[in-house]
Amino acid sequence: MSAVTPGGHRTGVALRAVLALYPARYRRDRGAELAEVFADTTAGAGRLGTAREALDLAAYGLRLRTGLTSTALGGRLLAAAAPLLAGATAGLVALPGDVRFWRVRAAARAGFDAPWTALPDNLALLGLTVVPALLAVAAAFGAWRAVRTLAGTVVLLAVVRLGVRLATANVRPGGPWLTEPNVWLLLLDATALLPYLAAGALILAAPADLLERPRRLPVLTGAAAGLLVTKAQGGYDTWHLMDGWTPLLLLLAPLLLMLCAARERLLPAALGLAVLPLTAWFSLFSLWEQVGGVWRLAPALAVGAGTLLLAGRVLSGRQEGKVKTP
Amino acid sequence: MTERAMQEPTLLLLTALADAPRHGYALIQEIDAISGGRVKMRTGTLYGALDRLLQQGLIEVAAEEIVDGRARRTYALTGGGRDLLAVEAERLRSVAAEAQRRLGGAPVPRGATA
């Protein structure tokens, strides 16, 4: 680590923190080399330049740690899912007849005349109506730099709306507003916003070097799937929650599709990955409602997760066996 | 591999290794020079690309040494990487030639491409 000295003590601390993000084996193999190159590139670069370099180095460490590099299965799956996710996010759009549609219309009509307390939420709501559509168009034309910026914007807008919901719900532990109806409403609102947050984050996590071509058909497929599941779920914020097997089906079907990745069938797995962020939250919420609480839902979730894990291992085991056979 | 155009960072990286094996920081400098200062590859991005190209068999580690107490690994093109770069260079050359022909055959002055 002698290379750290040119950047000074602070750079050395930052570099050690960044390298800690790398898997131990990679760090042992390449740590000194990375430190050397980092020291050379940041020599005289200034704080901003050093911070950018450190962020880039940290991002690759996180990719390696999470298996999201462009050569890893997770990274390739995310890259295959990115155009579908872009379309699916646009498929979340509120249609006439949907409760959200009236909210969007009211926010658009109020414009900047809305009370200042309502303005951030209104603007974020309008943003989440327009930006996903732009995101899908950008993905369809292969403008992936724009897609990433727009995905970041979607995540930001969803965070703003979630923050506003959390602040206005006022459900502090021990506070007077921590009542079951308030928590229920907060969770219901969250199920409508988490799809944006999750889909945007997954698009951002896709390896940039695998996103290169215009992907019109996957974007259209994703949009159709997004519209379909949103409709099946009643537009996320309907007062008539899903009953029966629908929530379970909308949760398990994408998960089962994702298992195809274990056999290197990335297309169906990508479709599952694109749909899951849209269905998971509302399905879990509906199941929680039906079953009657988190603790009653937990055993079913544990059994489901175990079964999926086992199925995934069996499938990947078979695939490995197949590859080894000459 | 040759079905679609190579991404620019990959092209620059392979080009930087075409005449001689190079270590990490030298590659960053070469890419900066080849792209006329337009592409400044960061360390994490560089090693992401190097790992991918190593896995694809387009480059290899030519040497691992300690120079002035500093760890240094040198990378070189493999035969496959050289062939792929040659195919891509030919593709770019034919596109550029066609562009020049359609512009009236007058060669574009150096440095007037921006």
Side-chain angles (χ1 to χ4, degrees), chain A residues 2 22 26 29-30 32-34 36-38 40-41 52-53 56-57 60 70-71 208-209 211-213, chain B residues 4-5 7 24-25 28 41-48 51-52 54-55 64 69-73 75:
Chain A
S2 61
Y22 282 72
Y26 192 93
D29 188 37
R30 296 279 190 84
E33 188 183 349
L34 288 173
E36 287 302 331
V37 177
F38 181 83
D40 285 336
T41 49
R52 278 184 183 164
E53 198 69 37
D56 184 68
L57 199 59
Y60 186 54
S70 54
T71 48
D209 51 344
L211 305 172
E212 46 183 313
R213 287 176 300 168
Chain B
R4 59 182 189 232
Q7 279 198 318
Y25 184 57
I28 291 176
M41 200 172 267
R42 298 190 196 287
T43 313
T45 310
L46 172 74
Y47 278 87
D51 286 343
R52 177 167 50 82
L54 279 167
Q55 194 160 336
E64 290 181 68
R70 301 169 66 154
R72 182 164 285 183
R73 188 170 289 172
Y75 301 90

Side-chain angles (χ1 to χ4, degrees), chain B residues 38-89:
Chain B
R38 198 168 42 80
V39 177
K40 304 216 180 283
M41 200 172 267
R42 298 190 196 287
T43 313
T45 310
L46 172 74
Y47 278 87
L50 286 176
D51 286 343
R52 177 167 50 82
L53 296 175
L54 279 167
Q55 194 160 336
Q56 290 171 342
L58 298 176
I59 64 169
E60 62 191 357
V61 175
E64 290 181 68
E65 52 194 358
I66 305 290
V67 180
D68 299 331
R70 301 169 66 154
R72 182 164 285 183
R73 188 170 289 172
T74 314
Y75 301 90
L77 278 188
T78 61
R82 192 166 287 281
D83 291 347
L84 185 69
L85 182 63
V87 169
E88 183 65 8

Side-chain angles (χ1 to χ4, degrees), chain A residues 172-222:
Chain A
R172 279 190 293 273
W177 299 99
L178 186 64
T179 59
E180 199 178 317
N182 277 355
V183 172
W184 190 91
L185 275 173
L186 182 63
L187 287 175
L188 184 62
D189 277 336
T191 61
L193 295 171
L194 287 171
Y196 291 103
L197 198 65
L202 286 173
I203 292 172
L204 284 174
D209 51 344
L210 295 183
L211 305 172
E212 46 183 313
R213 287 176 300 168
R215 306 299 302 273
R216 293 195 182 105
L217 188 62
V219 171
L220 280 174
T221 309

Side-chain angles (χ1 to χ4, degrees), chain B residues 8-52:
Chain B
E8 195 185 20
T10 306
L11 175 65
L12 290 171
L13 200 44
L14 294 181
T15 305
L17 288 171
D19 58 343
R22 289 192 163 87
H23 59 84
Y25 184 57
L27 281 170
I28 291 176
Q29 288 177 309
E30 279 299 304
I31 288 169
D32 187 38
I34 293 166
S35 68
R38 198 168 42 80
V39 177
K40 304 216 180 283
M41 200 172 267
R42 298 190 196 287
T43 313
T45 310
L46 172 74
Y47 278 87
L50 286 176
D51 286 343
R52 177 167 50 82

Side-chain angles (χ1 to χ4, degrees), chain A residues 76-147:
Chain A
R76 288 185 291 126
L77 177 60
L78 266 185
L84 290 159
L85 276 162
T89 313
L92 284 166
V93 68
L95 296 171
D98 186 336
V99 179
R100 294 175 306 155
F101 182 77
W102 303 110
R103 289 185 192 162
V104 171
R105 200 163 79 161
R109 280 186 176 167
F112 286 99
D113 294 332
W116 69 269
T117 46
L119 206 54
D121 191 48
N122 277 6
L123 291 177
L125 174 63
L126 292 174
L128 283 180
T129 309
V130 176
V131 177
L134 297 175
L135 175 68
V137 171
F141 284 95
W144 289 104
R145 196 178 283 255
V147 168

